[in-house]
Amino acid sequence: MVKEVLDVMKTFSESGMTMHVVTHETGFAKQVADPCSFGNLKHERTKVFLSQIL
């Protein structure tokens, strides 16, 4: 069921829909997020954390 939900959310993202999502699926979030959400991190602690889980 998780895959089906993520597929629907990916379709929404590709259509340009704005979404606010809270998820443990960090890889998915990075895949569909606006590039500035993951590419413009300001805090070193956040960068280290994401580098460990992605």
Side-chain angles (χ1 to χ4, degrees):
M1 193 74 175
V2 172
K3 182 184 180 323
E4 289 84 356
V5 171
L6 296 179
D7 287 345
V8 169
M9 292 173 66
K10 186 173 181 182
T11 300
F12 289 159
S13 174
E14 290 170 348
S15 74
M17 179 181 285
T18 299
M19 297 180 288
H20 293 266
V21 178
V22 177
T23 182
H24 288 96
E25 301 286 342
T26 312
F28 169 78
K30 184 177 181 183
Q31 180 183 14
V32 299
D34 186 295
C36 70
S37 301
F38 282 85
N40 191 22
L41 301 172
K42 296 186 186 333
H43 300 283
E44 190 60 33
R45 186 175 176 187
T46 306
K47 292 176 187 178
V48 169
F49 172 74
L50 289 175
S51 73
Q52 293 172 349
I53 63 170
L54 291 176

